[in-house]
Amino acid sequence: MNMPQDWPEPIVRVQSLSESGIPLIPDRYVKPPLERPSINSTTLVDVNIPVIDLVGLNGDDRALRATILDQISIACREWGFFQVINHGVSHQLMDGAREAWRQFFHSPMDVKQAYANTPKTYEGYGSRLGVEKGAILDWSDYYFLHYLPSPLKDCNKWPTIPADFRELLDEYGKQAVKLCGRLMKALSINLGLGEERLGNAFGGENIGACLRVNFYPKCPQPDLTLGLSSHSDPGGMTLLLPDNHVPGLQVRKDEKWITVKPAPNAFIVNIGDQIQVLSNAIYKSVEHRVIVNSSNERVSLAFFYNPKSDIPIEPLKELVAPGRPPLYPAMTFDEYRLFIRMRGPRGKSQVESLKSPR
């Protein structure tokens, strides 16, 4: 199974559609009725994903550390999503990265087109996920780049506007990797394993990391489309820096769509398919999607912390027992990612289709 060298149809930039002032969205973006954002959607004031303060996670106060670990454990098992505050990443860096990307998306089209991507690697400026001809598309543009492993990191494919953009991105990546490493240790401990076990299953120091920056333009008919279709993340762990003014992320919980209300200076963390496989479904990746609106654009940064791409990922032997057999066959992340990229976002059907017959 090989990725095609080019997209099946000419690429249309969603931002250009939005800025053209069209009153109706093209049919290519109109979702089937049951997938539209008004279905089973709730924005209840008292419902939100957990917010966890990480102050003390690595401190000497054992009781406080145990409390934080317990909060993370409950969030992973009950939600698959949580927010973290006091996480150690500079707030100035977070704001700077988000606004630099906003500036990039408002650059002239010829500047952005110089970084146009192809489905072979997805790296660069893009406007669709999946290569199925005639597919219903999402109302968003994006930029995808590799951070780790080092041989895949090509700074020449990173934007240069504003002037210090590449240095900013590099520092953001360093701090994001460090935070993900801390969270991986917490997840590992909560599974009853040594704190390094989950990380070692990812490849130890040889993990993968990449960034997808999502740009969701204003939409004249937000009730008919989605910024990003329902999916679970194929990788290990996602660290999302949301728009600091406009909500849009929705998480599926008890067959309802919950609109996430971002806490100030927080990252949104979610479990990916690879951790679901390694944990033998003790932790589960969760469906989520993005809604758009007619009055405001949105920018978000999704940092993906992934296993080394060529090592087999399968349920850890410590989490397999006679009464709990392994639910998934071994598969490398490269193989799984190719499987996902061919099909595009499809709820939880991707990882569930891999379950071993019982």
Side-chain angles (χ1 to χ4, degrees):
M1 183 167 57
N2 296 312
M3 287 298 293
Q5 297 289 324
D6 212 344
W7 302 108
E9 297 136 336
I11 291 295
V12 176
R13 302 304 180 187
V14 177
Q15 185 177 5
S16 295
L17 288 175
S18 175
E19 292 175 352
S20 73
I22 56 171
L24 304 175
I25 63 174
D27 290 345
R28 291 294 307 278
Y29 299 91
V30 177
K31 301 295 180 182
L34 291 179
E35 296 178 19
R36 294 174 189 172
S38 58
I39 303 297
N40 293 327
S41 184
T42 180
T43 53
L44 297 177
V45 174
D46 59 342
V47 178
N48 198 13
I49 61 174
V51 179
I52 300 173
D53 190 335
L54 295 187
V55 166
L57 179 61
N58 299 105
D60 297 327
D61 187 329
R62 292 186 178 182
L64 178 57
R65 185 167 188 258
T67 297
I68 298 168
L69 286 171
D70 189 51
Q71 290 173 342
I72 293 173
S73 178
I74 292 170
C76 288
R77 292 167 189 264
E78 295 186 1
W79 282 89
F81 268 82
F82 55 97
Q83 300 187 64
V84 292
I85 58 174
N86 294 317
H87 39 64
V89 178
S90 158
H91 295 169
Q92 182 178 358
L93 180 64
M94 295 164 69
D95 291 340
R98 184 170 42 215
E99 292 315 306
W101 278 111
R102 193 185 303 274
Q103 185 176 333
F104 169 80
F105 281 104
H106 282 286
S107 299
M109 183 56 72
D110 62 327
V111 172
K112 293 181 287 190
Q113 281 294 113
Y115 299 98
N117 71 350
T118 72
K120 187 165 180 62
T121 67
Y122 274 76
E123 195 166 13
Y125 175 50
S127 296
R128 68 175 292 163
L129 301 170
V131 293
E132 180 185 343
K133 189 172 184 178
I136 302 297
L137 303 177
D138 292 333
W139 192 262
S140 58
D141 299 321
Y142 65 87
Y143 201 104
F144 179 83
L145 57 84
H146 289 288
Y147 187 77
L148 290 173
S150 296
L152 286 182
K153 180 181 177 181
D154 184 356
C155 294
N156 291 321
K157 295 180 179 178
W158 297 10
T160 56
I161 298 174
D164 61 348
F165 204 176
R166 290 178 176 175
E167 292 78 8
L168 181 71
L169 286 177
D170 200 45
E171 181 59 27
Y172 184 88
K174 287 177 184 176
Q175 294 203 25
V177 166
K178 184 177 179 181
L179 174 55
C180 287
R182 292 173 64 203
L183 292 169
M184 286 285 286
K185 290 180 179 180
L187 266 60
S188 196
I189 291 169
N190 285 335
L191 287 169
L193 309 169
E195 67 173 23
E196 302 291 345
R197 181 68 174 100
L198 202 55
N200 287 339
F202 265 45
E205 296 295 317
N206 299 310
I207 56 99
C210 50
L211 176 71
R212 190 180 72 225
V213 184
N214 306 297
F215 184 80
Y216 304 104
K218 299 174 186 178
C219 179
Q221 293 178 293
D223 55 325
L224 297 182
T225 191
L226 290 166
L228 190 56
S229 294
S230 171
H231 66 288
S232 61
D233 287 348
M237 175 188 294
T238 303
L239 197 65
L240 180 76
L241 177 61
D243 193 288
N244 54 344
H245 299 298
V246 187
L249 174 65
Q250 292 190 324
V251 174
R252 194 166 192 173
K253 171 74 168 170
D254 300 328
E255 302 305 315
K256 295 284 187 181
W257 288 103
I258 309 297
T259 301
V260 174
K261 296 175 279 295
N265 301 313
F267 281 109
I268 298 170
V269 181
N270 65 279
I271 301 300
D273 294 344
Q274 304 303 301
I275 287 181
Q276 176 170 326
V277 170
L278 286 167
S279 71
N280 208 23
I282 294 173
Y283 295 155
K284 293 183 175 67
S285 59
V286 171
E287 274 186 84
H288 51 288
R289 66 184 187 183
V290 176
I291 57 174
V292 291
N293 66 78
S294 58
S295 54
N296 295 289
E297 67 183 35
R298 293 182 64 251
V299 175
S300 67
L301 283 64
F303 189 84
F304 302 110
Y305 188 88
N306 298 325
K308 187 174 184 289
S309 64
D310 61 355
I311 58 175
I313 300 297
E314 59 186 332
L316 297 172
K317 64 180 188 301
E318 300 95 325
L319 303 178
V320 172
R324 189 176 181 84
L327 297 176
Y328 309 95
M331 179 181 283
T332 69
F333 183 50
D334 261 348
E335 292 168 334
Y336 186 66
R337 180 163 46 190
L338 182 57
F339 174 64
I340 295 288
R341 285 178 173 176
M342 290 292 288
R343 293 157 55 106
R346 298 195 180 190
K348 280 278 288 182
S349 65
Q350 315 276 39
V351 69
E352 296 303 327
S353 71
L354 300 180
K355 277 191 175 178
S356 302
R358 299 286 297 275

